[in-house]
Amino acid sequence: MHDEIIQQEDQGSTPPLRLGGLNYAWIVAATGSIAMFCGLGLGRFAFGMLLPSMSASLGLNYTQSGILGFTNLIGYLVAVLLSPLIIPRFGTRITCTASLLLIAVSMLGMAFTTSFPLLCALYVLTGIGSGGVVLPMMSVMSHWFFPSHRGLALGLVMAGPGFGIILSGFVVPKLLPISGLLSWQTGWLIFAVVNIVVAWLTFTLIRNHPDDVNQNPFGRVPTSPVKNKKKLERSNVKLLVHLGIIFAIYGATYMVYVTFIVTSMVGSYQLSEATAGGIWAWIGLLSVFSGMLFGWISDHIGRRLGLALAFFFLAIAYLLVGLTDWTLGLYLSIILFGLVVWSVPVIMAASAGDYFGPAAAASALAALTFAFSGGQALGPVAAGYLAEITGDFSISYMVSGIAAFIAIGLALLLRPQKSA
């Protein structure tokens, strides 16, 4: 079924590149992965690697570091609120391209300033751009893939941020001041150029709907009718709130980890910045497979059990660094976190399509992401405040582990989806 408004955006557009007999759904998914490499990998997760040098040169304390991360999430929330209006009007192709260019502009601005208030303002724009990449790119997979392969496809899309973590882990420690710019400013400049290139690639390859290239969604056609209403029904509100609470817990806990684990490695574990960067890159390498692994698992055992399994591993990862300063515990935590980090967003995006139908998937995912973003916003600020009082982030990691166990119980209370 056509999305009439999205069709209008593509009328008169040039046909996409033809890459042999490969179903174009996989080209869209692969391009989405590259876009997510910039939108999340560089737009958000590179911040954790740049934060120690930014804090040192600007004299930031833990609370200010948390505030800077919080500004990015304010922007992300703005994108979430605007997405139900923007995505139906402009489609995934235009929305993602414009968002990547916005990220590039904001990073160029950060490359040429040392003003903390201005950095906060620019990082809001980066957050808006990140949300403008993530939401449309994840929701469009419900158009391109049937439930039988939707989790795997979303896992491929979420492999992109892992490469961003790898790049920042290896590149950031090697950055040097150039022409009066500090090392972290050089990093933002490099990332801005990469975003511009990927914006061009996204505009060239992404299409909003299989009908735009005369193809069908990829996968096994569901045996039972698939919901395809464009608006969420009132009867689904309770389910949406249930999923939203689970997603908010994930947002708060994982954001504490990705924002401060490098700072903990340098401070609490006495590792050098280069060593911490190498370990951070390992998180990125492992995370490349996490979304595809748990997307595939949830395709086979269901979204409900997939969520519970993911939160179990997250809980162990958090508690390993919260309950001990054992270096081997840190390494085990890194491995577990990397293998499971993108599992929850992938399963949530797949659930939006499964429970609410492809046409309403974007609206459902926007509502879920709003809850997710709220958790992300509160997590780093609360963790930064606790660190000011206690001197490290151990208590924050412990609380994250407890919250993850609560999420396991909430996930098991979900009803199994029937659309597949």
Side-chain angles (χ1 to χ4, degrees), residues 144-221:
W144 279 98
F145 291 88
F146 286 125
S148 64
H149 289 73
R150 190 173 290 156
L152 180 61
L154 285 161
L156 174 59
V157 173
M158 283 304 298
F163 289 108
I165 295 175
I166 294 170
L167 178 67
S168 63
F170 284 119
V171 171
V172 170
K174 296 179 175 62
L175 293 174
L176 298 172
I178 298 176
S179 301
L181 295 178
L182 300 171
S183 60
W184 58 268
Q185 292 174 301
T186 305
W188 288 127
L189 182 61
I190 294 172
F191 296 158
V193 174
V194 174
N195 269 272
I196 292 172
V197 174
V198 173
W200 170 81
L201 184 67
T202 298
F203 183 79
T204 302
L205 295 178
I206 288 292
R207 291 299 182 269
N208 299 319
H209 197 280
D211 290 342
D212 297 336
V213 289
N214 297 317
Q215 291 194 359
N216 295 317
F218 185 85
R220 295 188 299 272
V221 178

Side-chain angles (χ1 to χ4, degrees), residues 8-251:
Q8 294 175 5
E9 183 269 321
D10 262 0
Q11 287 178 354
S13 63
T14 57
L17 298 177
R18 301 291 181 183
L19 300 180
L22 182 67
N23 190 295
Y24 204 79
W26 292 110
I27 298 173
V28 172
T31 307
S33 182
I34 297 171
M36 295 283 273
F37 158 77
C38 288
L40 277 185
L42 302 184
R44 176 171 300 175
F45 301 120
F47 174 75
M49 273 305 303
L50 292 169
L51 183 57
S53 58
M54 292 178 69
S55 298
S57 62
L58 298 175
L60 305 181
N61 57 35
Y62 287 137
T63 301
Q64 288 175 311
S65 298
I67 290 173
L68 186 57
F70 178 73
T71 60
N72 180 270
L73 297 168
I74 291 176
Y76 198 90
L77 281 170
V78 171
V80 170
L81 291 172
L82 293 178
S83 63
L85 301 175
I86 293 177
I87 297 175
R89 182 172 183 179
F90 296 102
T92 295
R93 182 189 185 198
I94 296 297
T95 302
C96 285
T97 301
S99 297
L100 288 166
L101 292 175
L102 177 62
I103 293 173
V105 170
S106 66
M107 287 180 172
L108 284 173
M110 287 189 288
F112 294 98
T113 183
T114 56
S115 166
F116 178 71
L118 185 55
L119 282 171
C120 288
L122 289 167
Y123 211 36
V124 170
L125 296 180
T126 307
I128 294 174
S130 294
V133 172
V134 174
L135 286 170
M137 201 58 75
M138 296 291 275
S139 62
V140 80
M141 293 300 122
S142 293
H143 289 288
W144 279 98
F145 291 88
F146 286 125
S148 64
H149 289 73
R150 190 173 290 156
L152 180 61
L154 285 161
L156 174 59
V157 173
M158 283 304 298
F163 289 108
I165 295 175
I166 294 170
L167 178 67
S168 63
F170 284 119
V171 171
V172 170
K174 296 179 175 62
L175 293 174
L176 298 172
I178 298 176
S179 301
L181 295 178
L182 300 171
S183 60
W184 58 268
Q185 292 174 301
T186 305
W188 288 127
L189 182 61
I190 294 172
F191 296 158
V193 174
V194 174
N195 269 272
I196 292 172
V197 174
V198 173
W200 170 81
L201 184 67
T202 298
F203 183 79
T204 302
L205 295 178
I206 288 292
R207 291 299 182 269
N208 299 319
H209 197 280
D211 290 342
D212 297 336
V213 289
N214 297 317
Q215 291 194 359
N216 295 317
F218 185 85
R220 295 188 299 272
V221 178
T223 55
S224 58
V226 178
K227 296 178 181 179
N228 208 25
K229 295 185 178 180
K230 294 185 178 182
K231 294 184 179 181
L232 296 174
E233 300 172 342
R234 288 186 178 181
S235 60
N236 288 327
V237 171
K238 184 178 179 180
L239 173 61
L240 200 60
V241 171
H242 191 155
L243 289 168
I245 294 172
I246 297 172
F247 213 7
I249 292 174
Y250 169 77

Side-chain angles (χ1 to χ4, degrees), residues 202-379:
T202 298
F203 183 79
T204 302
L205 295 178
I206 288 292
R207 291 299 182 269
N208 299 319
H209 197 280
D211 290 342
D212 297 336
V213 289
N214 297 317
Q215 291 194 359
N216 295 317
F218 185 85
R220 295 188 299 272
V221 178
T223 55
S224 58
V226 178
K227 296 178 181 179
N228 208 25
K229 295 185 178 180
K230 294 185 178 182
K231 294 184 179 181
L232 296 174
E233 300 172 342
R234 288 186 178 181
S235 60
N236 288 327
V237 171
K238 184 178 179 180
L239 173 61
L240 200 60
V241 171
H242 191 155
L243 289 168
I245 294 172
I246 297 172
F247 213 7
I249 292 174
Y250 169 77
T253 57
Y254 110 101
M255 199 61 189
V256 168
Y257 197 96
V258 299
T259 301
F260 295 115
I261 192 61
V262 173
T263 301
S264 294
M265 284 189 276
V266 174
S268 301
Y269 290 88
Q270 301 296 308
L271 301 179
S272 68
E273 188 172 328
T275 302
I279 296 174
W280 178 251
W282 272 103
I283 292 180
L285 179 62
L286 294 170
S287 74
V288 168
F289 308 101
S290 69
M292 288 182 283
L293 173 63
F294 277 87
W296 178 81
I297 289 173
S298 73
D299 284 341
H300 287 77
I301 69 174
R303 314 304 180 198
R304 180 175 64 99
L305 295 178
L307 278 174
L309 184 63
F311 273 108
F312 173 77
F313 289 118
L314 284 172
I316 300 303
Y318 298 147
L319 292 177
L320 279 171
V321 289
L323 295 176
T324 177
D325 57 0
W326 189 31
T327 304
L328 181 57
L330 169 67
Y331 293 147
L332 290 174
S333 174
I334 293 295
I335 292 171
L336 284 175
F337 184 80
L339 285 173
V340 78
V341 59
W342 305 136
S343 58
V344 178
V346 165
I347 296 173
M348 280 293 175
S351 298
D354 291 355
Y355 283 119
F356 307 106
S363 297
L365 189 57
L368 292 174
T369 306
F370 184 81
F372 167 64
S373 301
Q376 288 184 103
L378 293 175

